Amino acid sequence: MAPLLAPGVASVSALAGARGIKEALLLLSKDKQWVNEKHLALCRIPSPTFFEQKRAEWMQQQFRALGCESTIDAAGNVVTFLSPNPAGPYVAVTAHLDTVLAPRTPEEVFTQPDGSFHGPGVSDNGAGLAALLALVRVFKMAPELAGVSAAPVFIANVGEEGEGNLSGMRHLCRQSALAPKIRSYLILDGPSTDHVTCQALASRRFEISFSGPGGHSWSDYGVGNPVHALSRVITLFAENQPEPVPGVRSSFNFGVIDGGVSVNSIPGTARAKLDIRSESAAQLEHLGELLKSCVAKATEMENAQATAARVTAKLRETGARPGGGLPTDAPLLRYLAAVDHWLGIRSRIDCSSTDANIPLSMNLPAVSIGAGGAGGGAHTPAEWFRPEGRDTGLKRILLTLALLLAE
């Protein structure tokens, strides 16, 4: 990872002292309890991928209570303007609604006496959604900005995690009526301010399934076994990885495996889900072809030893995230570098898979950044978030947004 460019915008100090911005920055420092309360409330609303509606409706209600124009689009994204029908162009500030895990009861999301949050989604992406609300609130409370050439649009979007396949961002960038008018994207994902994701990590997701007749483990022994065949696929794929390409990182993960009904029954089906990622499009394609050959070889091997009915295989691609990236001299990166320098934030460019993949793949200016605070344990039941330093992250977003609006 390379460090961000040296600051190239000398006007951040002047911007921070300008009417509207100065008051907004003060508000972000003062009223931290309001943000914490909203953060806790939104995280207690279950919002697993494909089931974001209740949290979307809650977010819409919050935006409307702040005096905004807020609607839910055809994809399920909550689209919010500070005032009715701004003409555009727009700068989009987004945060995804969905979580990998969801609380079964509100009590599973809680705060400790030290102020830390615990529970599914409190960091990823409770931090980003709380930031959207905080920013909208200060924009509505502070004097209107002068000298801007664009309007902000705040979007709580669906489908970022897992098999959501970035559906909300795909709709926003490719099908929404707003798409032609959005000139840049600030994507808020998680808490940390130490990274600026402006290189999109491409990925592909697959489901491998085997089926067979099933039967009794003794009396039907010899029929093709889907679990055995699936195990061969995993072993073949893991043991035949291509030689690493210098300077290119790739990964794979069999994240779900299921099949069978009992220990003494030959299963009728077996299934696995695989995630592959690479910084190289060629390497990603190579891994996809390797998977196809492993499925074919595993099917052949299992059926070769079967003395009765055989197994059949099906390989299905369930999602693909495109790659892309910002040039190192992009204005958006220069703005962030200048703001980070002024705030004393040490940040580095990184490559990851986020909602930014879609605009970056379309050569649109976009970054994914943290919303402030600290967090960990994402995608696990032990997820946590600490709000100390949240206001610094929010100021970073506010100042960068102000620079983008004035372009």
Side-chain angles (χ1 to χ4, degrees):
M1 297 188 296
L4 284 179
L5 297 174
V9 180
S11 59
V12 178
S13 291
L15 173 67
R19 181 177 179 270
I21 294 294
K22 181 178 181 180
E23 187 167 334
L25 292 173
L26 288 171
L27 287 167
L28 290 174
S29 293
K30 286 169 55 180
D31 199 2
K32 301 175 184 178
Q33 186 59 33
W34 185 90
V35 185
N36 289 343
E37 290 172 358
K38 296 299 181 184
H39 189 156
L40 181 64
L42 74 88
C43 289
R44 285 179 164 171
I45 303 168
S47 189
T49 306
F50 305 126
F51 297 94
E52 300 99 327
Q53 183 178 357
K54 288 184 179 180
R55 184 176 287 181
E57 291 171 349
W58 185 89
M59 290 290 291
Q60 182 187 37
Q61 291 169 5
Q62 303 306 306
F63 288 130
R64 288 181 171 176
L66 291 168
C68 297
E69 184 81 7
S70 187
T71 59
I72 296 178
D73 69 16
N77 302 322
V78 185
V79 180
T80 301
F81 293 102
L82 298 176
S83 59
N85 303 316
Y90 308 119
V91 175
V93 186
T94 78
H96 68 86
L97 287 158
D98 57 325
T99 61
V100 172
L101 303 178
R104 291 166 295 181
T105 66
E107 291 73 26
E108 284 190 25
V109 177
F110 59 94
T111 56
Q112 295 279 31
D114 64 0
S116 61
F117 292 67
H118 297 264
V122 295
S123 176
D124 181 14
N125 191 28
L129 293 169
L132 283 187
L133 293 172
L135 290 164
V136 166
R137 184 169 184 257
V138 299
F139 267 106
K140 295 296 289 186
M141 294 174 68
E144 190 170 328
L145 300 184
V148 298
S149 60
V153 55
F154 300 89
I155 300 162
N157 64 278
V158 299
E160 194 274 344
E161 299 286 10
E163 293 177 32
N165 203 31
L166 309 183
S167 60
M169 190 59 71
R170 289 178 196 272
H171 177 85
L172 182 64
C173 293
R174 297 175 178 174
Q175 298 162 292
S176 168
L178 295 177
K181 298 182 179 182
I182 299 176
R183 67 187 189 191
S184 54
Y185 294 79
L186 275 178
I187 292 159
L188 313 181
D189 199 346
S192 178
T193 58
D194 64 0
H195 68 278
V196 175
T197 301
C198 60
Q199 301 298 317
L201 178 63
S203 67
R204 299 173 72 185
R205 276 81 183 267
F206 295 90
E207 181 180 88
I208 310 108
S209 58
F210 283 89
S211 59
H216 192 278
S217 63
W218 175 253
S219 59
D220 295 308
Y221 180 74
V223 303
N225 189 311
V227 167
H228 294 180
L230 183 61
S231 300
R232 295 180 195 276
V233 173
I234 296 170
T235 301
L236 287 168
F237 190 81
E239 293 183 349
N240 290 278
Q241 287 293 296
E243 287 294 318
V245 177
V248 174
R249 184 182 172 198
S250 302
S251 71
F252 73 91
N253 180 61
F254 286 90
V256 174
I257 301 175
D258 61 41
V261 293
S262 74
V263 69
N264 59 340
S265 299
I266 299 170
T269 60
R271 179 183 65 135
K273 293 184 179 182
L274 169 67
D275 172 276
I276 57 175
R277 305 181 184 216
S278 181
E279 295 170 340
S280 161
Q283 194 77 338
L284 195 66
E285 182 66 23
H286 189 137
L287 289 168
E289 291 302 313
L290 173 62
L291 179 62
K292 291 179 185 177
S293 67
C294 289
V295 171
K297 181 65 175 176
T299 306
E300 178 186 336
M301 292 171 68
E302 178 62 21
N303 287 333
Q305 58 84 46
T307 58
R310 298 183 166 200
V311 297
T312 57
K314 182 183 293 185
L315 177 62
R316 181 171 68 95
E317 187 164 4
T318 59
R321 297 187 176 198
L326 272 182
T328 55
D329 61 348
L332 177 49
L333 289 182
R334 294 204 307 271
Y335 297 159
L336 263 169
V339 170
D340 284 356
H341 180 76
W342 189 78
L343 288 170
I345 294 173
R346 296 174 61 87
S347 57
R348 303 182 72 82
I349 286 173
D350 76 355
C351 177
S352 189
S353 180
T354 69
D355 270 323
N357 282 47
I358 301 301
L360 288 173
S361 73
M362 300 169 66
N363 296 315
L364 297 171
V367 294
S368 177
I369 58 177
H379 302 185
T380 76
E383 191 165 348
W384 59 273
F385 171 81
R386 284 198 300 270
E388 292 83 2
R390 190 208 295 267
D391 58 323
T392 301
L394 295 175
K395 291 174 184 177
R396 180 196 201 198
I397 301 161
L398 176 72
L399 290 168
T400 304
L401 175 57
L403 290 169
L404 290 169
L405 294 173
E407 277 187 326

